[in-house]
Each structure stands twice: as C-alpha cells, then as structure tokens.
Amino acid sequence: MHISNGYDPLTPKGSFYNELLEETQAIVEGQKNWVTNLANASAVIYHGLRSLQHFQEKPINWAGFYIIDKNDSNKLILGPFQGKVACTEIALGKGVCGTAAQLMQTQVIKDVHAFPGHIACDSASNSEIVVPMVLDGHVIGVLDIDCEKVEGFSEEDRVGLEAIVEVLIKSSEWNQ
Ligand code: SME
C-alpha cells in the first residue's frame, strides 16, 4: 500500500476519500495502540486535505482528536493532532466538539462565528467539521477539523470522514 502525504490537487472529493480510507486502513494495519493510530491518522487527514485545490487558498489549519477523559466522562481532552496548540479540555455539550460528542452526531459548521459557544483555538478558523467516535453506543472521542475557508466542508466530507472514523474505532484498543 502506498502511503503518501499528498494528493493530486485536482482529485475529486469522492475519489480522494476512497484513497484516504485505504491509506487509513494501511496505517492501522497490525497496530492496535490508539495513540499511535490517531497520531498517524491526523497526519494523513491533515496533509491529504491540505493538498486538495479546494483547500489551497484557505487551508485546513487543524486536524486531530479529542478523547473522553478516563477520569471524567463528561470531558474531552486533547489527543493526537496536526496544527497549532489547541485547548486541552472541552466539556461535553460545549463548543462544536462537545456538541458533536453529546449528540453523537456529526456537526458540519459552515461558519464557526455563527455557532453559539464555538471555542476559538485558532482565530484563522472559519469553518469546522466534528465527527463523533461512537463505540458500542458510547462516545469515546471526536475527530475535529478546522478550515480557514467559510463553508469549507460539505456532505461529501461528512460521509468520507465518518467512514474513516469507523475504521479507526474498529482498528484500535480503547481500554489502554
Ligand atoms: N473549535 C472547537 C475547539 C477545538 S479547536 O477547533 C482545535 C470547538 O468549538 O469545540
């Protein structure tokens, strides 16, 4: 399996997500440690999306994970990511991440400035997508991606990223 950190900028979103899914399957093969898998997943997602023409003028500026705190299931804590320093804790129900985690429903936010309670980690962010990670009916974390572009994400991104999150959930052990 070819693992790249870049795609042809003109790759259509549908085929891009097919390739990104294969790449995700390749990086987790033979590896069950969730930190390891989410670290590499944030790299392939971040660099993959940034290489697309759609994101070249106003790029993806953050991609990573928040994980339910082992000691407090009402709180997300910062996990592996690519991008600038981010806030370390988010209460369930707060911000886009806490909302996605609480509702167990992907949030596609066209304009973060119009989202009540949005938590601004990087002032360059204008849109955001957050996909909850649900294992056996319980939320274990979220995948969060920020973009400098307003309306950076669409339904195609939601479908593509939900499939990637599914692979990550199944491939890793979460009780470590
Ligand atoms: N914007 C998020 C906070 C996390 S940062 O974007 C990395 C939110 O509102 O939950």
Side-chain angles (χ1 to χ4, degrees):
M1 170 67 203
H2 168 68
I3 296 177
S4 74
N5 270 333
Y7 287 79
D8 178 340
L10 298 175
T11 311
K13 274 267 182 81
S15 11
F16 164 74
Y17 277 112
N18 287 341
E19 288 181 46
L20 195 63
L21 187 66
E22 282 182 24
E23 202 173 359
T24 305
Q25 277 156 344
I27 57 167
V28 300
E29 204 181 312
Q31 180 57 256
K32 289 197 174 303
N33 186 289
W34 68 266
V35 177
T36 307
N37 287 342
L38 297 191
N40 268 338
S42 60
V44 294
I45 293 168
Y46 179 82
H47 290 287
L49 285 170
R50 278 174 73 97
S51 64
L52 298 181
Q53 191 180 47
H54 177 71
F55 292 117
Q56 269 173 16
E57 210 173 300
K58 294 191 178 234
I60 297 293
N61 57 330
W62 203 90
F65 298 87
Y66 280 88
I67 302 298
I68 293 287
D69 189 342
K70 255 188 182 176
N71 304 313
D72 179 359
S73 60
N74 284 315
K75 196 165 80 184
L76 292 160
I77 52 168
L78 183 62
F81 72 95
Q82 301 271 308
K84 288 187 183 169
V85 169
C87 56
T88 55
E89 299 186 358
I90 299 174
L92 250 65
K94 299 288 178 194
V96 185
C97 290
T99 302
Q102 190 173 58
L103 300 178
M104 292 196 226
Q105 208 171 61
T106 299
Q107 304 293 306
V108 184
I109 308 299
K110 291 179 179 176
D111 178 358
V112 293
H113 308 290
F115 184 93
H118 167 253
I119 302 163
C121 290
D122 183 343
S123 60
S125 302
N126 280 312
S127 60
E128 183 163 7
I129 185 166
V130 180
V131 180
M133 302 164 74
V134 180
L135 177 68
D136 300 332
H138 299 283
V139 65
I140 55 171
V142 298
L143 163 64
D144 177 22
I145 308 176
D146 285 18
C147 183
E148 292 187 11
K149 191 176 174 136
V150 177
E151 291 194 45
F153 305 102
S154 64
E155 272 300 289
E156 269 186 309
D157 297 286
R158 182 185 64 75
V159 171
L161 292 166
E162 284 179 352
I164 287 167
V165 160
E166 208 48 41
V167 167
L168 292 171
I169 292 169
K170 288 191 179 133
S171 64
S172 306
E173 280 172 1
W174 298 98
N175 52 357
Q176 312 173 48

